[in-house]
Amino acid sequence: MPAFRLLRSCLPLLLAGAAAAQLPLAEVAKLARDRAERSRPAQLKALEPYWPDLALNYDDSRDVLNARIAEVAGLGDSVVPVLLEKLTPTNGSGEGGRQLAANCRRVLERLDPASFVDALAELANGPSPTARTEAIRLLGAAQNGQAAALLVDLLDATTGDDRRTVLRALRQHRSPVGAAKAAPLLGANERAMREDVLGYLTAARAGAVVGVVAEALAAERDPKLLPLYVEYFAAATKANDAAARALLPLLDRDRLDWQDTRRLVQVLATIAPAGHEPTTKRLGALLDDGEPSSVSVQAAVTMRALGDKQGVTRVRKAIDEQMRKGRRRQEGSLYEHRANLSFATEDYAEAFADFEKVLEFQDGLAMTRRAYVGMLRCDAHRKRTANLLKLMRASGMTVAEIEAIGADDPDFAEALKQDRVRKELQALAKEQAPK
């Protein structure tokens, strides 16, 4: 690494002490240079035992390398300059040099990359392709405004895989600062580029570029990317007429599979404005597409959220009609549809009763688990703590699975905070721990 770059990587570590000592800036630079040069032999000696392992392929030697990476990171900030130097492979080092660079980057990710952003900027704009890629990744881990601004600039200075790496690094920042430059890249020919753009815009909740994304959605050629547009709009905008209208054509037959269709119907409850007639009309048409299904149930729930209660009445009537047909009275899926409808309308007692029927007539482990999840949520909303504790044990679910329910249900998450519930979960965790 050139001396000026080594100096720049070390300089921030000395500024605080220099300020306290009231040294002139020129003397601070000289002090940093001298200290870097004196400490370099010690740094090289400390790192020497690790180079052979750090040159291994990470995917082939994950366990060994994770241990070595942690050990090197434990040496502290003093080894940062040498690790930065290794991001640039030496001539003739081949694959081993690139693997060494990647593993040094993994160490540097643990050593506060925000403290050496200037050095990363030089590498990201330098001549070495490997160093550029690794520096961009480290800028993603450097969570400060300077790093984010550098990444935005790099959107203009990079192409191909490097630009995709920049987009993934920006995604780590979850900041919309680069949205205006990134959104037009949805017109790129490469599917992977469009996918990374959507990933970044969604993570950043970049609502300012909704119009650009809506235009890109209308022109999108790859059906596998359509669910990513749905997630972008769900994250980035609410009560938006243009966004809702852009998404409604995805409800045409065969544009999405049933799971993605249900997700789209679900998020339209927040994307579309209240009383949005184009949305409620299109969702109403879904209710006429056949017998009750998870999609029609969700359509009715979304219509209700937008102010149209007729959908709930129609779906409930259709479910009840099917249940009056002989063997269908013992069909677990019909009870599950009705339970979900009742839960959405806050009829928790009715929902609980139907989830019990699902357990009675279930046709597999997946349906059984969904029934227990539904019953647990019902009891949390009804504040039936004693019954909730019994169900947690009866469900056979792990503690992690039970706690995960709270991610999408604030009332359930609140119930988990109760002392009685926490103690029960601790007891379950001990019972479920490997012997």
Side-chain angles (χ1 to χ4, degrees):
M1 176 180 291
F4 71 89
R5 187 182 295 162
L6 182 63
L7 166 63
R8 184 172 291 187
S9 68
C10 296
L11 189 58
L13 305 176
L14 298 173
L15 286 177
Q22 298 183 340
L23 293 175
L25 186 58
E27 298 228 3
V28 174
K30 184 177 184 301
L31 178 63
R33 188 183 301 109
D34 292 344
R35 179 173 296 184
E37 291 174 354
R38 288 197 307 271
S39 63
R40 181 174 174 79
Q43 295 165 3
L44 290 171
K45 183 176 180 181
L47 288 167
E48 185 175 355
Y50 296 100
W51 297 136
D53 284 341
L54 289 178
L56 295 173
N57 182 286
Y58 184 78
D59 291 332
D60 295 339
S61 309
R62 192 178 297 262
D63 292 339
V64 170
L65 279 168
N66 283 339
R68 295 295 181 270
I69 288 167
E71 291 173 15
V72 176
L75 297 175
D77 293 339
S78 65
V79 297
V80 165
V82 178
L83 293 172
L84 286 169
E85 180 180 340
K86 295 297 183 180
L87 296 183
T88 303
T90 58
N91 290 335
S93 60
E95 189 63 23
R98 288 187 287 273
Q99 290 169 180
L100 176 61
N103 289 321
C104 286
R105 181 256 305 164
R106 293 183 174 97
V107 177
L108 288 165
E109 285 174 339
R110 303 184 180 208
L111 295 174
D112 187 18
S115 66
F116 46 87
V117 167
D118 286 342
L120 296 176
E122 291 189 31
L123 293 169
N125 288 286
S128 168
T130 298
R132 179 166 56 251
T133 298
E134 300 302 350
I136 291 170
R137 289 171 175 164
L138 284 165
L139 286 171
Q143 295 292 300
N144 64 19
Q146 182 188 2
L150 285 167
L151 288 168
V152 175
D153 290 340
L154 285 166
L155 279 176
D156 291 329
T158 54
T159 58
D161 288 344
D162 279 340
R163 181 176 281 176
R164 291 181 55 212
T165 303
V166 171
L167 288 165
R168 291 194 292 271
L170 276 169
R171 182 174 182 171
Q172 290 180 258
H173 283 262
R174 297 181 177 273
S175 167
V177 64
K181 283 188 177 181
L185 296 176
L186 287 172
N189 289 328
E190 303 90 343
R191 176 196 183 281
M193 181 72 73
R194 302 199 301 277
E195 182 176 358
D196 283 327
V197 172
L198 288 168
Y200 161 55
L201 296 177
T202 302
R205 300 179 181 273
V209 294
V210 162
V212 178
V213 180
E215 291 180 8
L217 171 58
E220 181 55 59
R221 305 175 297 281
D222 191 328
K224 292 183 179 179
L225 291 184
L226 298 179
L228 302 186
Y229 285 89
V230 174
E231 295 305 326
Y232 161 75
F233 286 113
T237 190
K238 295 185 185 303
N240 189 307
D241 171 76
R245 289 177 183 274
L247 288 169
L248 289 177
L250 300 187
L251 292 174
D252 293 345
R253 194 175 299 277
D254 298 330
R255 293 293 303 277
L256 299 170
D257 67 23
W258 71 270
Q259 290 176 309
D260 291 329
T261 299
R262 183 177 62 184
R263 173 61 177 162
L264 169 56
V265 170
Q266 178 187 37
V267 300
L268 280 169
T270 57
I271 294 173
H276 195 242
E277 184 178 359
T279 299
T280 55
K281 182 177 180 180
R282 183 64 185 84
L283 295 179
L286 289 179
L287 307 185
D288 300 326
D289 283 352
E291 69 172 64
S293 66
S294 60
V295 173
S296 65
V297 169
Q298 186 60 62
V301 171
T302 295
M303 290 172 67
R304 181 176 184 269
L306 296 176
D308 186 341
K309 298 181 180 180
Q310 295 182 9
V312 170
T313 302
R314 289 169 59 187
V315 174
R316 190 182 296 276
K317 180 179 178 181
I319 292 173
D320 290 342
E321 287 177 355
Q322 294 299 319
M323 284 183 168
R324 287 193 287 268
K325 295 180 180 179
R327 293 183 178 179
R328 302 210 71 181
R329 296 172 186 170
Q330 298 182 3
E331 194 168 308
S333 61
L334 287 175
Y335 288 99
E336 184 176 19
H337 295 328
R338 193 169 69 179
N340 288 329
L341 193 63
S342 296
F343 186 92
T345 57
E346 300 179 5
D347 297 320
Y348 299 122
E350 292 183 19
F352 190 95
D354 275 337
F355 280 127
E356 286 187 308
K357 287 290 188 180
V358 174
L359 282 183
E360 183 179 350
F361 300 124
Q362 55 80 24
D363 61 2
L365 293 176
M367 184 176 285
T368 296
R369 186 183 184 282
R370 292 196 301 270
Y372 272 116
V373 169
M375 293 165 70
L376 286 165
R377 295 179 68 197
C378 286
D379 275 345
H381 281 257
R382 291 193 291 172
K383 304 188 186 309
R384 298 178 64 196
T385 303
N387 206 47
L388 181 65
L389 299 178
K390 294 178 183 177
L391 278 173
M392 287 194 305
R393 285 189 171 276
S395 70
M397 297 167 63
T398 66
V399 170
E401 289 172 332
I402 293 171
E403 291 175 338
I405 299 171
D408 299 317
D409 189 331
D411 284 62
F412 192 85
E414 193 64 29
L416 295 182
K417 296 178 183 178
Q418 298 179 48
D419 288 341
R420 291 171 62 191
V421 178
R422 287 205 312 271
K423 289 178 181 177
E424 182 67 10
L425 288 174
Q426 290 169 0
L428 273 176
K430 288 181 180 179
E431 295 173 16
Q432 293 170 358
K435 305 301 183 183

